[in-house]
Amino acid sequence: MLQILVQGLVLSGFYALIAVGFTLIFSVGRVLNLAYGSFLMLGGYIYYQGAQVVGLPKFPSLIIAGIAGAVFGMLVYRILVKRLSGNVVAVEIATLILAVVVQAAVVLVFSPSPKSMWPLVPGVLRIGDASVTYNIFIAAVVSWILLGGLFLFTGMTHMGRAIRAVSMDSKGAVISGIDPERVNILTWAISGTFGAIAGVFLATYTQLDPNMWVTPLIIAVAVVIVGGIGSILGSLVAAHIIGMLETITTSLIAAELRGVATMLIIIAVLLVAPKGLFGKSEL
Amino acid sequence: MNSTLRRGIYGWIAFAVVMVILPHVVGTGVTRSFVFAMYLAIFAVSWDIMSGRTGYISFGHPFLIGIGGYTTALLTYHLHWPLFLSIPTAVVITMIGGTLFFFPALRIRGTYFALVTLAFMELIYGLVQVIAPNVTGGTRGLSGLETIVTGAIPNYYLALVVLLVLGFTMWLVIRTHIGTALSAVGMDEDAVRASGINVTRLKLFAFMLSAFAAGLGGALYVHYLGSIAPRALFDVGFLFQILVACLLGGAGTISGPIAGAFFLTFLLEWLRPYFPGPERFLIYGAVALVLYVYQPNGLHELVRNGLKRLNQLKLSRNTS
Amino acid sequence: MLEAKDLSKSFGGLKALQQVTLRAEFGHSVGIIGPNGAGKTTLFNLLTGEIKADSGHVSLDGMSIDTEPIHERVKLGLARTYQVPRPFAEISVRENIRVSMMEDNLKYMLRVAWDDTGEQEIAESVGFTAQQLDQLPSELAMGDLRKLELARTLATNPKVLLLDEVFAGLTYGEIEHISNLLIERRKTHGTTYLIVSHDLKALQPLVDDVLVIHGGNVIKKGTFDEVVSDPQVQNAYLGTG
């Protein structure tokens, strides 16, 4: 029982990071970035390249992956999303195509075969009679640090408040002198960083392969649908619902059913409450 | 009005004539590529009738195609049903599966709808592997399925007949009042209701047509391949091909997605000698992306704009 | 005859409409006036079924239509225009009108539109020129969009027509044209109108009765002259009291 609780909490924290990176884009730019899974995949592969091929220490590799994620996020916004701005469906489809393109690029550079990653911190943490690997525990801690940082940033700094203003009312924000371009760029950079770092953890938790972008995208979509698109608080709550539910399904019923439970919640929530638990806007 | 319809019908006749002659001109390899292109075109047509005009973007079309494929595969493989029974049954089951798409469409649209249909696809992908893997073949799927005809050329003509009949029928359907009404649903569904039209019935009709085409295409496709596996069907890559064929060709036009399917298939074939390795898929995807970003309305729109400009040129020459 | 009894509707804590009752006989025309946010558009939405009333009943021709969905109400002869025109943006004026003219059955809808005399007639009656039939709504000015809105509604062949600010943004000439069209149609078809308008001058020749709504309540009913000379109305609405 405790095992499920601990495992579930840790997984949920990690899912929250995945989901917040995804929903941040929507809450500011009102578009869904279906290439978000690629942010995670790139983060994972760049970390792998740094730590396991070049041989850099782990922490700098993680930082490099985060920076690369930010750059990639900004490029996606500048090159693709901005050009299609105003056409929500076109952005979704273009980012979905981009995800497939990135997958092809990864196959080309790193080969299609899966790669296994060393844990960031080896070993197992025991809490009472429950145990989790240090690796996933660290992932949850880092997730919470990043989420806390985001919370402080949007609450305390001028730029952060500008992000909040745009997410609440983009026209009003423009009138009050906020440059929406800068806010968008910054949001995509943050989303890219969160995605890339989440990707490193995901890769150490599972494995690296060129298909790995689909699962986190579905997790992000699931969390965001259950929590309500664009709601950060909703994402946090929903990440825990989904993380817990997945842990319960995999440990009590069957490991293969992990995704199935998540899909069933998505479908149920969309049918019962299309706006999600904390949703403010419908697409 | 009549003249555009007539021109379109001439276009279909020309297409049919060229396609009938083609296998006698090109080699077996190209013929096989055409068979694949035609199945992709059938799936694209199916997508287009549901999503091209209505704004109910399906990200889960492989789900429908897969239902058709798995139904006939299981019926023939395990129960030894004859094809002339298993394929119609597969179509019916797919249409029942289509109602699963339809129920969410009563409440949600746009992105939400797209994501739910994607969830359906991932759900069935998970389920096929877990539930009764000894029946479905699990992750590895089933192979050694019965084939309808053998050889490249018979398969080519089989696919051609189905594509021509389905494609032309759907093309006619969207040129009736239904097509106009479906476009209107995509623009403002409530205003269509306020025009006195039962939108629910209209959508159901479009969804059932779409499911019919997906089920028939899916069933014939697995009997062409002789095998079925979850990752080959319920896959984002497969969805990508259908979606991109429609969007590059021009969603909502039926003829556009068919052209898109041929274009995509032959782009890949054309790249093969230059880029035999995996870089082919990168270039293929990048070309799709660039074309899409350049003209989200597709080739159809490019051709239409070109014709318009040509007409204006003629007009200005005549008046001057 | 359109009859609404005790219609009420709240949004959250806000009472948008409270116990509104109205009757409009066939061939009879009722103006509805009131300040912004008084509940006029909410009233229309309740009558057409776009939103569900918390309580109250609507009947058409003595038959309750409370459970009828929007499109069924339209087919029974209750149609509306929208305050902000809602044309189908990417299809031509002709096709916009066609959507309203279609019979609501699949057999009919599976026909190709060979001739467009019906669409042309309606388009011309509201004042479109023949060339405009091929234009997209995005190419039309506000006045033409209102005409399109009206044409689309007329194409459903309504017995009762709910007109929401049809005159806003029109020139005097256009107002007169539409006004004459409505008067003419009332004579020939016996159409009933419920007209929401801020333009009292345009309203005057069209209506038999006027209903004043303020804060979700009907505060006055009567002939046009009675209503506009009423001090309470002037106070609440015209602000000249």
Side-chain angles (χ1 to χ4, degrees), chain A residues 32 34 79-80 83-84 87-98 100-102 104-105 107-108 112 211 213-214 217-218 221 224-225 228-229 254 256-257 259-261 263-264 266-267 270-276 281-283, chain B residues 47 55 57 59 103-105 107-116 118-120 122-124 126-127 129-131 231 235-237 239-240 243-244 247-248 277-289 292-294 296-297:
Chain A
L32 289 183
L34 299 185
I79 295 172
L80 214 58
R83 203 180 295 262
L84 295 169
N87 189 343
V88 175
V89 174
V91 170
E92 282 156 23
I93 287 168
T95 49
L96 185 69
I97 300 178
L98 177 67
V100 177
V101 173
V102 172
V107 169
L108 193 62
N211 257 319
W213 60 276
V214 181
L217 178 63
I218 300 244
V221 163
V224 159
I225 284 178
I229 289 186
E256 295 90 346
L257 289 176
V260 173
M263 290 309 130
L264 289 177
I266 297 190
I267 293 167
L270 279 169
L271 292 180
V272 178
K275 289 183 185 179
S281 55
E282 204 169 334
L283 267 178
Chain B
W47 186 92
I57 306 289
F59 277 178
F103 285 115
R107 300 202 49 169
I108 52 179
R109 50 183 297 123
T111 307
Y112 280 96
F113 180 74
L115 297 177
V116 173
L118 186 67
F120 274 130
E122 287 295 320
L123 180 65
I124 195 109
L127 287 177
Q129 297 176 71
V130 177
I131 294 182
R231 197 66 304 177
D235 180 51
V236 180
L239 162 69
F240 166 82
L243 207 60
V244 171
L247 297 166
L248 288 190
E279 60 271 26
R280 191 153 46 109
F281 292 94
L282 176 64
I283 296 171
Y284 166 78
V287 169
L289 184 61
Y292 180 71
V293 174
Y294 176 66
N297 291 331

Side-chain angles (χ1 to χ4, degrees), chain B residues 177 180-181 184 190-198, chain C residues 71 74-75 79-82 86-88 91-104 108-109 118-119 122 147-158:
Chain B
H177 291 306
T180 312
D190 288 330
V192 180
R193 283 198 186 90
S195 306
I197 290 174
N198 185 343
Chain C
H71 65 270
V74 175
K75 285 195 274 181
R80 73 170 298 177
T81 65
Y82 289 98
R86 284 167 73 169
F88 303 116
I91 56 179
S92 66
V93 168
R94 177 189 287 111
E95 287 172 311
N96 262 276
I97 298 172
R98 181 170 299 149
V99 173
S100 294
M101 291 187 69
M102 285 177 199
E103 277 174 36
D104 184 29
Y108 172 89
M109 289 169 85
E119 289 88 341
I122 288 175
K147 287 186 210 160
L148 179 56
E149 192 73 15
L150 185 63
R152 281 176 40 203
T153 324
L154 291 177
T156 64
N157 202 13

